[in-house]
Amino acid sequence: MPFRQFVLKVTSRCDLACDHCYVYEHADQSWRRRPKVMARETVAMAADRMAEHARAHALRTIHVILHGGEPLLAGHERLEETIVRLRDAVRGICELDLRVHTNGVSLDERFCRMFADHDVRVGVSLDGGRRANDLHRRYADGRSSYDRVVRAVDRLGREFPDIYAGLLCTIDIGNDPVPVYEALVALRPPVVDFLLPHATWDHPPPRPAGVATPYADWLIAIHDRWRKDGEPVRVRMFESIIRTTQGQGSLTESLGLDECDLAVIETDGEYEQADSLKTSFSGAPATGCDVFSHTLDDVARSPAIAARLGGLEGLCDTCRACPVVESCGGGLYAHRHRVGTGFQNPSVFCDDLMKLITHVRSQAEVRPRAGIRVRAGVRAERGREGAAPAAHTIPGPDLAALAAGYGDAATMTHLAASQTSARRLLISSVYKLAGPGVADAWKLLTELDRGHPDAVREVFDHPYVRVWAARCIARGQWAHPETRYLSNIAAAAALRAGVAARLAVATRGGSVPLPAMGSIPAGRAQEAIIETGPGVFAVATEDRRWEVRLDEPAAAGDWRPISRLTADGVSMALDDVDPYRDCYDHAVAPRLSPERLARWQAMFAEAWEVVKRDHSRYAPALAAGLRVLTPLVAPGGDVQASATARHAFGAIGVALPGRPDDLAMLMIHEFQHVKLGAVLDLTDLFDGTDEELYHVSWRQDPRPLEGVFQGTYAHMAVTEVWKARTRPGMGHIPEKATENYLRWRDGTLEAVDTLARSGSLTEVGRQFVAGMRAAARSWLDD
Amino acid sequence: MVILRSEITDLRDVPLSEVSELGMGAEVRRIVPASEDVRRVPVAAFNSAI
Ligand code: SF4
């Protein structure tokens, strides 16, 4: 297995003298003989070794952590040189996720600015509030480091939030856990982790007499408070327990069964294993290799690394038989050590880990918190007053139909229902993000949700509303101007409900958009006032006013309602006005002229006939689930363009092709992505942390697993379309159609096998791919 | 195939005013993995850094 994570020890000394530090205070004292700062030649050689390794293994991303000692002691210039050298070495080969982990005492504005300029994320060690932190994290002369560190972290959070990676807290059970948690959360870190103190069976951790699991009890107190607070921050340890319980990868080497893909490079260029092993015995992390004489593949073959098996195989019998082993994985490797049996033991924190994992798992089961009132009487079968809402489910036969590439109206109803919930959640999150600025819109929406839920649902379910919500959430605190669009959503819902409301709404690109309805040009105005009533609304800017009656849209010349395309048995919107339809990889076309719209309508009606007649297995899901078509700019010549966006469930983007059967093919192809995207929202089919790249026949460049999944699923349908086209009388040259069919068939079969062999599928993913494979292999029976 | 119990909570009948009160940050982050505070790549799994 290739290494993907590298810890670069840019210095071997520290300006603090924390008495719990594994580098200086534990068994291995190799720091004494190493250079204080990594030499330039060593940096250059290390960088080239990583680049060589990334190229040899086609790695998409490598993670490098600048560490020490205290890395900032290298000074501003040397550290910047190191960063630039690393980035230069891997440019064009792979992405570089670069981080620095510091004690924070020297983290001045100049360092922050430099890290921001080079996109280096900064993690800081802090053990809680002043009292907790001062217990260990002091200068050699005993002075407290607390004020300097908190000042630095505060600056990081306020001025450089983009590079603020999080806080790392070493547990001391002498501290009160909840105040530690509160002190850390007050610094608004994006992620927090709690480290168990370094210990082995020969040097066990401190435990008060009569308390069997003090570390679990300490962490459980924090966990329960964290959940009660609504999980305001990510906690790597808790998240890793939940992820590993669900079959995903752990986010920390101290939990889970993932193999270790980490190499440490010391200041003298020696490669070592994860350096927490310094606690075990002197020389424990050594590999006998260095950057000057050895490649990273040499290191992987070194006896020390090769002996450390990943997964269950590497664990002792007790751990292998343990009910929580998927999450625990025997704990941190170093914590298993005992003179005599080496690492073939459970963790010295075994009892604590067992109790903590069991507790976190049991609590996660009842998420979300109980006591949420379900809207009474609406759907009696789904919960009574006071019960916690359940999770969406998909019946087995529907999931099987989806895996085979199809699905029908009922299947789409299940997917759409889960999307409705996801949208309610995301839109509520945007409201929480935006706060008082959209209070009026939120109040209106919550009232409409009580009295006119269908109107709210119709607007929320418009595909591009989720694109907007996801954009706001992704931008986090920078999203404020964008969040004002919530007013437009509320206004559209009021209008659909026929309810009288008055609201200030946002403009986008010179228009006032009303999602799922249309838009009205607003010139240069930044804001407009909308008044809604039954079947009528008025929009006023500073210098103009429009009144639109929905039953006479043409009378209000400027109103650009969303058009509808209809064909035998189907109807869907043609949305060429929504500002958030720009979510595709292709440029979207501007508002269509009436002539162009007529061409779309004619071609759509013919394409639908093709779908029904020649590709009937795809028709039911398309008819039920495709709500919106958005025209894309045609690339020119014979080139076709079509696209989907993960957040725009129910919509596809298409440039009008020359022939109806091509439009049919593009709709079928893109709708596969829509269906699979909704399944991936419902559950993980594969481990999202798999960074491997895979080859597929239809792309020159290797693809990440999600790309392979999406491509394969879509090409299952493309193969079947070509198969249908091989029949005589289909308007295609049979030999050419056969050639295309065989090419897609073989490429798709191969890609399904690639998925099956990836080793990264979840249990549901394995079943889903087995279904895809069975469907694909049936082509060989013909 | 067995029935799939998904990771999306059914919120259709939960009043909107209460949805925002739920502690469902993890579910939001799962649906929008690009959110600012979350990257879906493993945050350096190295134990002694974050
Ligand atoms: S809880 Fe104990 S026995 Fe179970 S995997 Fe962890 S260390 Fe091993």
Side-chain angles (χ1 to χ4, degrees):
Chain A
M1 190 178 72
F3 294 105
R4 289 190 186 78
Q5 300 182 64
F6 304 94
V7 176
L8 201 63
K9 299 273 183 173
V10 290
T11 64
S12 64
R13 302 293 194 275
C14 188
D15 44 359
L16 289 184
C18 311
D19 57 10
H20 55 11
C21 178
Y22 62 84
V23 178
Y24 307 108
E25 306 294 335
H26 285 263
D28 185 289
Q29 290 288 306
S30 58
W31 62 275
R32 294 178 187 279
R33 62 175 161 80
R34 303 202 199 269
K36 287 186 181 155
V37 178
M38 185 177 271
R40 289 189 176 83
E41 316 74 79
T42 316
V43 170
M45 202 63 223
D48 292 344
R49 289 294 187 202
M50 291 179 220
E52 170 188 64
H53 195 67
R55 178 179 279 127
H57 294 274
L59 301 181
R60 188 155 51 125
T61 307
I62 61 169
H63 309 268
V64 177
I65 302 149
L66 305 175
H67 210 264
E70 167 49 41
L72 302 194
L73 286 184
H76 299 90
E77 285 86 12
R78 274 302 272 286
L79 217 45
E80 184 164 26
E81 266 181 52
T82 302
I83 291 163
V84 170
R85 185 65 181 80
L86 286 164
R87 289 229 179 267
D88 284 349
V90 300
R91 187 162 295 117
I93 297 174
C94 65
E95 295 285 320
L96 174 59
D97 170 32
L98 195 50
R99 290 163 191 262
V100 61
H101 194 84
T102 168
N103 62 29
V105 294
S106 319
L107 185 63
D108 58 13
E109 191 181 343
R110 189 173 159 203
F111 268 126
C112 290
R113 202 160 294 289
M114 189 264 281
F115 291 138
D117 287 346
H118 293 285
D119 191 22
V120 180
R121 290 168 59 90
V122 184
V124 180
S125 292
L126 187 72
D127 289 353
R130 179 186 300 281
R131 206 194 80 73
N133 199 62
D134 285 353
L135 218 49
H136 302 286
R137 308 194 65 81
R138 289 177 177 272
Y139 290 94
D141 63 7
R143 274 178 303 134
S144 162
S145 63
Y146 181 75
D147 289 328
R148 288 187 71 128
V149 179
V150 166
R151 214 175 309 132
V153 173
D154 185 54
R155 177 188 295 119
L156 203 52
R158 268 186 302 105
E159 297 173 35
F160 302 93
D162 286 352
I163 57 163
Y164 185 12
L167 298 175
L168 200 56
C169 168
T170 299
I171 299 167
D172 184 321
I173 48 170
N175 289 319
D176 210 347
V178 171
V180 166
Y181 163 82
E182 286 170 339
L184 297 174
V185 171
L187 291 165
R188 307 178 69 87
V191 189
V192 166
D193 201 10
F194 298 97
L195 301 187
L196 290 164
H198 286 297
T200 64
W201 284 101
D202 305 306
H203 299 281
R207 286 203 169 90
V211 188
T213 53
Y215 294 91
D217 300 342
W218 198 92
L219 284 161
I220 286 170
I222 288 183
H223 172 267
D224 290 355
R225 171 62 187 273
W226 171 71
R227 286 187 56 85
K228 187 158 162 267
D229 285 354
E231 304 175 14
V233 58
R234 296 178 64 199
V235 178
R236 186 165 69 175
M237 178 184 258
F238 302 153
E239 202 178 323
S240 293
I241 293 172
I242 292 166
R243 287 174 60 89
T244 47
T245 304
Q246 294 167 335
Q248 300 171 304
S250 170
L251 300 176
T252 164
E253 59 166 330
S254 61
L255 290 166
L257 287 169
D258 300 277
E259 286 185 58
C260 183
D261 62 357
L262 173 91
V264 178
I265 303 174
E266 285 288 351
T267 51
D268 57 1
E270 280 185 13
Y271 294 110
E272 291 202 335
Q273 303 186 64
D275 58 355
S276 52
L277 287 176
K278 289 181 193 302
T279 52
S280 305
F281 56 90
S282 184
T287 63
C289 301
D290 66 71
V291 291
F292 299 102
S293 318
H294 302 90
T295 66
L296 280 152
D297 281 341
D298 293 333
V299 181
R301 285 188 292 266
S302 70
I305 299 268
R308 190 173 163 186
L309 297 172
L312 272 179
E313 264 177 277
L315 299 180
C316 67
D317 292 344
T318 314
C319 289
R320 281 201 235 186
C322 171
V324 301
V325 69
E326 302 85 5
S327 290
C328 178
L332 192 69
Y333 194 56
H335 293 166
R336 297 175 213 163
H337 192 261
R338 185 198 288 272
V339 171
T341 43
F343 295 97
Q344 284 299 305
N345 307 295
S347 166
V348 69
F349 291 100
C350 177
D351 293 343
D352 294 280
L353 289 167
M354 172 77 89
K355 183 170 180 182
L356 174 69
I357 292 166
T358 309
H359 181 83
V360 171
R361 285 180 172 186
S362 72
Q363 296 297 302
E365 269 300 302
V366 295
R367 188 188 327 212
R369 298 196 314 271
I372 304 305
R373 274 183 291 112
V374 172
R375 197 185 275 146
V378 180
R379 285 171 207 260
E381 80 276 16
R382 246 214 332 275
R384 52 207 157 68
E385 192 88 355
H392 281 277
T393 54
I394 294 211
D398 289 285
L399 195 59
L402 284 165
Y406 311 117
D408 58 14
T411 316
M412 292 314 298
T413 305
H414 290 296
L415 294 184
S418 64
Q419 291 290 315
T420 297
S421 290
R423 284 153 185 270
R424 290 173 75 77
L425 178 61
L426 296 187
I427 293 164
S428 302
S429 299
V430 175
Y431 161 65
K432 277 211 295 205
L433 190 73
V438 294
D440 289 349
W442 184 250
K443 185 164 176 287
L444 176 57
L445 272 173
T446 53
E447 284 166 7
L448 291 169
D449 187 53
R450 275 192 291 274
H452 304 271
D454 290 344
V456 172
R457 184 178 42 72
E458 280 164 29
V459 176
F460 278 17
D461 282 356
H462 188 65
Y464 301 124
V465 167
R466 177 169 155 183
V467 173
W468 160 79
R471 243 176 235 183
C472 291
I473 292 165
R475 284 182 193 164
Q477 60 181 320
W478 309 113
H480 284 291
E482 204 86 56
T483 58
R484 291 177 50 232
Y485 188 67
L486 189 74
S487 305
N488 301 53
I489 293 170
L495 191 52
R496 281 206 175 250
V499 166
R502 187 174 191 281
L503 208 59
V505 288
T507 59
R508 292 280 179 270
S511 298
V512 174
L514 294 174
M517 302 202 74
S519 88
I520 210 159
R524 287 211 294 274
Q526 296 291 313
E527 195 176 78
I529 302 293
I530 188 165
E531 288 177 73
T532 63
V536 62
F537 70 98
V539 173
T541 62
E542 256 179 17
D543 46 10
R544 282 201 65 180
R545 187 172 189 282
W546 299 262
E547 189 167 306
V548 181
R549 304 198 67 81
L550 293 177
D551 54 356
E552 295 173 45
D558 284 334
W559 170 237
R560 295 181 296 198
I562 291 176
S563 316
R564 289 202 77 77
L565 300 173
T566 52
D568 183 23
V570 288
S571 166
M572 60 191 69
L574 183 139
D575 193 341
D576 53 1
V577 293
D578 195 297
Y580 294 96
R581 74 190 194 286
D582 65 351
C583 52
Y584 302 108
D585 281 344
H586 294 267
V588 290
R591 173 80 166 167
L592 300 185
S593 64
E595 298 73 33
R596 193 104 188 112
L597 177 61
R599 278 193 59 199
W600 263 92
Q601 169 57 59
M603 178 120 29
F604 174 74
E606 285 187 66
W608 186 250
E609 286 305 311
V610 174
V611 173
K612 275 196 316 178
R613 187 189 61 226
D614 301 332
H615 315 296
S616 57
R617 297 192 77 171
Y618 294 95
L622 265 171
L626 185 55
R627 296 169 57 103
V628 170
L629 278 172
T630 281
L632 300 178
V633 172
D638 284 344
V639 183
Q640 295 174 349
S642 63
T644 28
R646 175 70 177 270
H647 289 299
F649 172 80
I652 63 174
V654 186
L656 195 63
R659 297 164 44 129
D661 66 341
D662 283 339
L663 180 56
M665 158 107 91
L666 295 174
M667 290 194 314
I668 291 169
H669 172 143
E670 294 303 338
F671 198 64
Q672 293 295 95
H673 293 305
V674 171
K675 288 188 289 190
L676 185 60
V679 174
L680 289 171
D681 277 344
L682 281 166
T683 194
D684 292 331
L685 298 180
F686 55 87
D687 182 352
T689 62
D690 179 345
E691 294 188 346
E692 217 58 58
L693 295 178
Y694 300 86
H695 284 280
V696 283
S697 67
W698 53 85
R699 294 278 296 227
Q700 300 234 304
D701 52 330
R703 308 283 295 143
L705 196 59
E706 179 163 358
V708 178
F709 227 119
Q710 284 283 5
T712 310
Y713 194 66
H715 286 117
M716 285 174 66
V718 171
T719 303
E720 297 212 322
V721 170
W722 278 109
K723 187 173 171 220
R725 287 177 174 183
T726 60
R727 294 200 297 267
M730 296 289 287
H732 289 267
I733 302 164
E735 292 76 24
K736 191 107 187 91
T738 303
E739 191 185 305
N740 275 320
Y741 164 54
L742 293 177
R743 182 161 56 88
W744 287 117
R745 185 193 72 179
D746 295 346
T748 305
L749 279 165
E750 199 180 293
V752 177
D753 283 342
T754 301
L755 288 173
R757 283 197 308 265
S758 67
S760 287
L761 301 179
T762 60
E763 185 45 42
V764 185
R766 268 192 288 277
Q767 290 181 38
F768 199 88
V769 169
M772 288 169 69
R773 199 176 194 197
R777 293 195 76 81
S778 72
W779 302 326
L780 297 174
D781 299 338
D782 297 339
Chain B
M1 252 181 230
V2 295
I3 190 163
L4 170 70
R5 183 181 179 278
S6 80
E7 314 219 7
I8 296 188
T9 307
D10 191 345
L11 299 173
R12 288 174 295 169
D13 292 341
V14 178
L16 198 54
S17 53
E18 294 185 14
V19 175
S20 61
E21 303 302 317
L22 295 167
M24 294 181 65
E27 196 164 316
V28 172
R29 289 192 292 266
R30 202 186 152 275
I31 302 168
V32 188
S35 52
E36 197 176 67
D37 56 346
V38 175
R39 297 181 165 195
R40 206 166 246 203
V41 297
V43 180
F46 177 51
N47 194 44
S48 308
I50 197 151

